[in-house]
């Protein structure tokens, strides 16, 4: 992605008053932020349904570009990646959401398009029961699904418990922030955040020095939900941020799971209600989660690799596997979400198929979340 496109994308977020839905609509209609800037004096020719007020406002980019230049300098100085929608490093799952941010700021080492990505969320007032659930969940995931990426919001309670357990067990973990990367909130989590940069990362849609509104924390939940294959709700009261993330996940067509709790327990009420209304699948362990997502092949693949089992040169394929192979043969390397659309196969099921094919030595996961057909 060119530096100019990044610059104009940052400016576009300011031109649209940080309204991600409007910015995304303009971006997709024009094809790029650069195209919007180039056609700024006749924007109606590019975007047919733009309002007269916005048409006029889109003519003068001077202040927005001045701020964008400053943000680019800030990012360069502190080793922050500026990811735009057209960037291969941008979370591909999130890119398909109707309110995806057109720019993300990322400091870290983890692959945001890892083959398997989940978020672990819940109450800020987690109990010992909730902490034990997170510890056991992450510990077991490290054994049976070691390449998983764990996402949360760096908040008190379940969030920070998820991050710290991921670090302890060598799993990459991403914290999605509700503010710019010049600060860490809450400050008590700074030490953990620093460790995450080396084994995971910090991600935000907010520029440096952005005002930290309460609404930012709700908005960032859509990123937590949208960049993942599944949401895991550990503990929640009847209302809370974890439930909001779960609901957003459902809206995006993602899988949602919840741990049940004791009847009448305050911080299990939200989980129990969600399970009862069929909004979330009930899980009691990492094995339940992995089986529900069709990720069982991870452990089998690891065992096969450890034992040095040679893959058959001509493995037998199921009809669905043959569809995947045919798609990759005709299109070349593709990302998971693109394949899901083209094949009309849900992401959870497609993930299982791809890893069955990987076990057979037919495909391989590549950088940028793409899948490559071998030989």
């Amino acid at each position: 992605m060119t530096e100019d496109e990044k610059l104009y994308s940052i400016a576009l977020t300011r031109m649209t008053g940080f309204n991600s839905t409007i910015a995304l609509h303009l971006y997709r209609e024009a094809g790029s932020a650069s195209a919007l800037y180039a056609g700024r004096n006749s924007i109606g020719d590019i975007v047919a349904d733009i309002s007269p007020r916005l048409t006029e406002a889109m003519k003068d980019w001077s202040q927005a570009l001045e701020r964008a230049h400053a943000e680019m300098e800030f990012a360069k100085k502190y080793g922050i990646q500026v990811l735009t929608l057209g960037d291969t490093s941008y979370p591909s799952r999130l890119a398909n959401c109707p309110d995806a941010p057109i720019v993300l700021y990322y400091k870290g080492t983890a692959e945001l398009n890892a083959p398997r990505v989940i978020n672990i969320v819940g109450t800020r007032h987690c109990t010992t029961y909730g902490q034990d659930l997170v510890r056991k969940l992450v510990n077991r995931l490290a054994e049976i699904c070691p390449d998983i990426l764990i996402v949360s919001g760096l908040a008190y309670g379940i969030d920070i418990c998820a991050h710290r357990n991921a670090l302890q067990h060598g799993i990459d973990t991403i914290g999605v922030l509700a503010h710019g990367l010049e600060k860490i909130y809450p400050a008590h989590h700074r030490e953990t955040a620093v460790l995450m940069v080396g084994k995971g990362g910090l991600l935000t849609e907010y520029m440096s020095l952005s005002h930290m509104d309460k609404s930012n924390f709700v908005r960032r939940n859509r990123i937590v939900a949208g960049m993942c294959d599944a949401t895991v709700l550990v503990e929640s009261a009847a209302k809370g941020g974890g439930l909001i993330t779960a609901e957003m996940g459902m809206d995006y067509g993602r899988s949602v799971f919840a741990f049940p709790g004791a009847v009448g327990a305050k911080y299990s009420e939200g989980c129990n209600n969600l399970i009862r209304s069929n909004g979330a699948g009930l899980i009691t362990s990492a094995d339940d989660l992995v089986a529900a997502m069709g990720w069982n092949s991870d452990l089998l693949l690891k065992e096969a690799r450890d034992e040095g089992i040679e893959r058959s040169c001509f493995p037998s394929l199921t009809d669905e596997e043959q569809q995947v192979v045919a798609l990759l043969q005709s299109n070349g390397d593709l990302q998971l979400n693109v394949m899901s659309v083209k094949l009309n196969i849900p992401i959870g099921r497609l993930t299982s198929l791809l890893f069955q094919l990987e076990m057979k030595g037919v495909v391989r996961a590549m950088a940028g979340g793409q899948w490559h057909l071998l030989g």
Side-chain angles (χ1 to χ4, degrees):
M1 187 55 57
T2 67
E3 294 299 294
D4 280 349
E5 177 62 18
K6 293 179 180 182
L7 181 71
Y8 295 136
S9 293
I10 294 172
L12 179 59
T13 63
R14 296 187 66 85
M15 294 293 293
T16 54
F18 303 100
N19 186 315
S20 57
T21 302
I22 293 176
L24 184 60
H25 173 67
L26 293 174
Y27 182 95
R28 286 180 170 162
E29 286 291 308
S32 69
S34 299
L36 285 168
Y37 178 72
R40 60 192 180 280
N41 290 320
S42 55
I43 200 72
D45 295 338
I46 303 174
V47 185
D49 56 350
I50 189 172
S51 68
R53 180 178 179 181
L54 187 55
T55 298
E56 189 63 29
M58 288 291 290
K59 291 181 180 179
D60 183 7
W61 288 55
S62 56
Q63 291 186 0
L65 282 173
E66 182 179 353
R67 181 64 178 88
H69 275 293
E71 194 63 24
M72 290 282 283
E73 287 300 313
F74 175 83
K76 182 178 180 181
K77 180 178 180 180
Y78 292 102
I80 296 167
Q81 298 179 53
V82 178
L83 306 178
T84 66
L85 271 173
D87 197 312
T88 56
S89 296
Y90 187 101
S92 58
R93 297 163 177 86
L94 179 63
N96 286 329
C97 296
D99 51 1
I102 62 172
V103 180
L104 290 170
Y105 304 95
Y106 177 51
K107 187 173 180 64
T109 57
E111 170 57 64
L112 300 178
N113 288 304
R116 294 158 192 74
V117 189
I118 66 167
N119 63 70
I120 301 175
V121 295
T123 179
R124 296 176 181 229
H125 308 285
C126 65
T127 66
T128 300
Y129 170 69
Q131 294 172 24
D132 286 343
L133 287 177
V134 173
R135 177 177 54 80
K136 292 175 181 177
L137 172 66
V138 176
N139 179 49
R140 182 59 175 156
L141 284 173
E143 294 176 353
I144 63 176
C145 203
D147 294 332
I148 199 166
L149 175 64
I150 293 177
V151 178
S152 201
L154 203 71
Y156 288 110
I158 295 298
D159 286 22
I160 195 64
C161 189
H163 293 310
R164 287 172 176 166
N165 275 277
L167 290 171
Q168 181 180 347
H169 291 93
I171 296 177
D172 285 348
T173 182
I174 298 292
V176 182
L177 309 182
H179 48 75
L181 289 173
E182 84 285 358
K183 66 170 77 73
I184 294 296
Y185 178 85
H188 289 299
H189 297 166
R190 178 175 295 278
E191 183 177 348
T192 300
V194 170
L195 293 174
M196 289 168 64
V197 170
K199 186 59 180 174
L202 303 174
L203 184 70
T204 185
E205 67 178 308
Y206 294 101
M207 292 181 176
S208 60
L209 305 178
S210 296
H211 185 64
M212 193 164 57
D213 292 322
K214 184 177 179 179
S215 61
N216 291 10
F217 292 90
V218 176
R219 285 176 50 80
R220 68 95 182 269
N221 289 345
R222 81 188 195 286
I223 299 175
V224 174
M227 68 180 290
C228 297
D229 299 309
T231 291
V232 179
L233 186 64
V234 178
E235 278 192 310
S236 175
K239 295 181 179 179
L243 276 174
I244 293 173
T245 303
E247 290 166 358
M248 289 176 169
M250 286 186 280
D251 289 341
Y252 294 149
R254 307 297 193 263
S255 298
V256 177
F257 302 96
F259 283 94
V263 173
K266 179 178 179 180
Y267 293 113
S268 289
E269 189 175 354
C271 293
N272 292 343
N273 290 342
L274 199 61
I275 293 168
R276 185 177 61 248
S277 65
N278 295 318
L282 186 154
I283 59 171
T284 60
S285 67
D287 293 83
D288 291 346
L289 169 65
V290 168
M293 292 300 295
W295 294 344
N296 311 64
S297 54
D298 270 28
L299 182 58
L300 296 174
L301 179 60
K302 181 179 182 299
E303 290 173 347
R305 284 174 172 165
D306 290 345
E307 294 170 9
I309 296 175
E310 185 175 349
R311 303 287 176 247
S312 168
C313 293
F314 302 97
S316 59
L317 303 180
T318 66
D319 290 343
E320 284 185 312
E321 289 170 346
Q322 288 175 348
Q323 291 179 41
V324 174
V325 169
L327 181 67
L328 291 174
Q329 283 177 330
S330 60
N331 292 271
D333 296 353
L334 292 173
Q335 292 184 330
L336 180 68
N337 61 309
V338 175
M339 295 172 66
S340 176
V341 172
K342 287 182 176 291
L343 293 170
N344 195 28
I345 297 176
I347 285 180
R349 175 59 183 158
L350 181 57
T351 300
S352 177
L353 289 171
L354 286 166
F355 274 82
Q356 290 293 345
L357 287 169
E358 186 176 17
M359 289 180 65
K360 295 176 180 180
V362 177
V363 301
R364 181 174 63 195
M366 306 292 286
Q370 293 192 323
W371 285 90
H372 174 73
L373 184 65
L374 298 174

